[in-house]
Amino acid sequence: MNQYFNAAQGLKKMFIAQIGTIICTVCTSIAAAGTLVFAAAGSLGLTGLFGLLTVVGAIGAIVFAIINLVGLNGAGKDIEGCKTAFTIAIISIVVSLCGSFLKSLALLFTLAGLVLSFLITYYVCTSVSGVMASIGARDIADSGNNVWKIYLACNIIQAVIAILNLTPVLSLLAGIGSIANLVVALVGLILYMIFLHKSSKALGA
């Protein structure tokens, strides 16, 4: 019996959830842009259609977030680091909800969210990389260690941007930094997805 069966299936679910989240984000972004354009043009039918797409994208994002949590919980049954990441993910949700109500502490909750988000990725990557190294998949292990370092850099930059946005004079600089950080974050996300996919395959998914 595969001792990492739960981890393999969990990582596979996490991979699928990442793909689904990206698709939902793209759909929501397109829908938001389309709603603005056609609302300005007075086309109520198309505006309503894009509005529906926004709702579908939002619901899809929630569904895939749940799938990611289910996968993370499953992986945690075999890999201790993933179990820790699951606990942090629950804490992150609570922090996010608190931040949506306590607007006066928005920056504090934003920074806390960034730290928690990084820790989730860190524990997943380092623990799964450890398993990959133990089964001889050194190339996958190395890629996992590279992923969390990219995420660390992105989160640090994002934290700096959040602080810069507090000062109107520096908001333009923050905007430019956000664009550059988005590109790096996209690369990190793609590498993370590849890491999850290869890891799940290596464990027999």
Side-chain angles (χ1 to χ4, degrees), residues 20 24 40 55 61 94 100 121 123 132 154 169 171-174 176 185 195 204:
C24 289
V55 174
V94 174
S100 64
T121 306
Y123 278 108
M132 291 297 103
C154 288
V169 177
S171 59
L172 177 60
L173 180 61
I176 296 173
F195 171 67

Side-chain angles (χ1 to χ4, degrees), residues 103-150:
K103 300 295 185 181
S104 60
L105 299 174
L107 177 61
L108 178 61
F109 282 107
T110 296
L111 296 178
L114 289 172
V115 171
L116 293 171
S117 176
F118 165 70
L119 288 176
I120 294 169
T121 306
Y122 173 78
Y123 278 108
V124 170
C125 289
T126 54
S127 60
V128 174
S129 290
V131 173
M132 291 297 103
S134 70
I135 64 174
R138 175 56 62 181
D139 57 330
I140 301 177
D142 291 341
S143 68
N145 288 321
N146 289 332
V147 167
W148 74 257
K149 292 173 185 176
I150 293 175

Side-chain angles (χ1 to χ4, degrees), residues 5 10 12 23 28 31 38 44 50 52 58 64 86 96-97 107 121-122 126 128 130-131 134 137 142 169 186-187:
F5 175 79
K12 184 177 181 180
I23 293 174
T28 302
F38 289 104
L44 297 180
F50 278 110
L52 178 62
F64 285 115
F86 176 76
S96 179
L97 290 174
L107 177 61
T121 306
Y122 173 78
T126 54
V128 174
V131 173
S134 70
D142 291 341
V169 177
L186 180 59
V187 172

Side-chain angles (χ1 to χ4, degrees), residues 1 4 20 30 35 58 63 71 79-81 89 93 95 97 104 110 129 131 136-137 162 167 170 185 196:
M1 181 178 178
Y4 291 112
I30 293 174
T35 299
V63 171
I79 304 174
E80 189 63 30
I93 293 173
V95 169
L97 290 174
S104 60
T110 296
S129 290
V131 173
T167 307
L170 299 176
L196 292 175

Side-chain angles (χ1 to χ4, degrees), residues 7 11 14 69 71-91 119-120 123-124 127-128:
L11 293 173
M14 291 168 66
L69 281 175
L72 190 55
N73 182 54
K77 295 178 181 179
D78 295 337
I79 304 174
E80 189 63 30
C82 290
K83 183 178 180 180
T84 301
F86 176 76
T87 302
I88 297 173
I90 299 300
I91 295 173
L119 288 176
I120 294 169
Y123 278 108
V124 170
S127 60
V128 174

